[in-house]
Amino acid sequence: MSFDVVAIREQFPILSRSVNGKPLIYLDNAATTQKPQCVIDALVDYYSNSNSNVHRGAHFLADEATQHFEQARDTIQKFINAPKREEVIWTTGTTESINIVANGLSSLLSSGDEVIATGMDHHANLVTWQEACRKSGATLKIIPVTDAGELDQDVFDSLLSEKTKFVAFPHVSNALGTINPVKSMTAKAKRFNAWVLVDGAQGAAHGWADVQEIGCDFYVFSGHKVYGPMGTGILWGRASLLENWPVWRTGGEMISTVTLQKSTWNVLPYRFEAGTPNVGAAIAFGKAVEWFADLDHKAVIEHEMALLAYATKLANEFEGLTIIGNAQHKISVLSFVLDVGHPADIGFLLDKQGIAIRTGDHCAQPLMARFNVPGTARVSFALYNTFDEIDALFTALKKVKVMLS
């Protein structure tokens, strides 16, 4: 298959709307991606034709909803190359997935143990480990970030020891776009028998979430960053770990037996899926992954990298603009500051011209402190973005600079 950006754009209804009297240029894809019509249709179809609770009803609609819900799990299993379907746990998103792991980790660590995280982590992949260490008495170690915006691998090597019990790092930095060498980092941690979690919130959106290839113990990501609905996510973990991992939420579905004195827990994946799930969104999430997996990924990546290369060229030619994060390997994210104005002002003025970007600390305050900036203006491209949109962005930035000077 070849990649046709015009044909792709036609599948996304929101891209045809206007904002502030201008055609929408959506460049905030690292925050959330827009949804193709087939995903919207899948969500509407569930509520129009199959709405029912899953696993529990003794009637046609319940059976149909359950079938679609579990088929979506199978789709995710295939997408991430998980060995077993029961290892795929539905969550509300990356944050909840990480918290499930952190909750269990708190009771499995003890004083003298060490946890390694990074200086580029999203707060959801840092604060959780801070809390796990605080509750358990373990020590948190941090892999620093280089001037180029990469994880310092030499320091990582020096941090690993027999005390290391758990290592967590992002597949891709949400703030800088840096692609981390997750396979080699996992292999290093495994030499010390440490558990490894990869925050795949940005990596999965580019089709790189092959958990067997990476070799990690946990991989987590959100549906809304992979062209699916918000309020959905995945915790993948090795069955040998999840079968005995402490549960987080208790209630319906996750139990096996209940008496007035005690309870026992259900088998995987249900032991971590307490309560009524977001059934329609999960089904639509599966449709999004199915849609994305059917694309020519080589062509998609080439398109996104070409967008990044073109935007980087224009950024380097733009007087007073400084790119934050120049890693050798990046996804299509351009994070920058101007020599005039605050990033929030840049975002506000671009919005007035119909251009949507993200500004602020990107839930990565320690990383912003590392580069001594209050935040950045972040442009993030997806497969439906175009070179004309990049031209429009830099034309608008010239106006922004004049207004802020």
Side-chain angles (χ1 to χ4, degrees), residues 23 41-42 81 236 267 275 301 324 335 397 405:
D41 290 345
N81 194 26
W236 172 82
V267 296
I301 292 172
I324 306 298
S335 206
L397 278 174
S405 297

Side-chain angles (χ1 to χ4, degrees), residues 105 109 113-116 156 159-169 185-198 215-218 238 241 245:
L105 191 66
L109 293 173
D113 291 339
E114 294 181 354
V115 172
I116 298 177
F156 177 45
L159 292 177
L160 288 165
S161 74
E162 297 299 331
K163 295 181 179 180
T164 306
K165 302 302 179 185
F166 189 88
V167 180
F169 42 78
M185 292 180 71
T186 297
K188 289 177 180 179
K190 282 300 172 186
R191 292 179 196 141
F192 294 89
N193 296 315
W195 294 317
V196 177
L197 179 142
V198 177
C216 55
D217 298 292
F218 303 98
R238 295 186 186 278
L241 288 176
W245 203 261

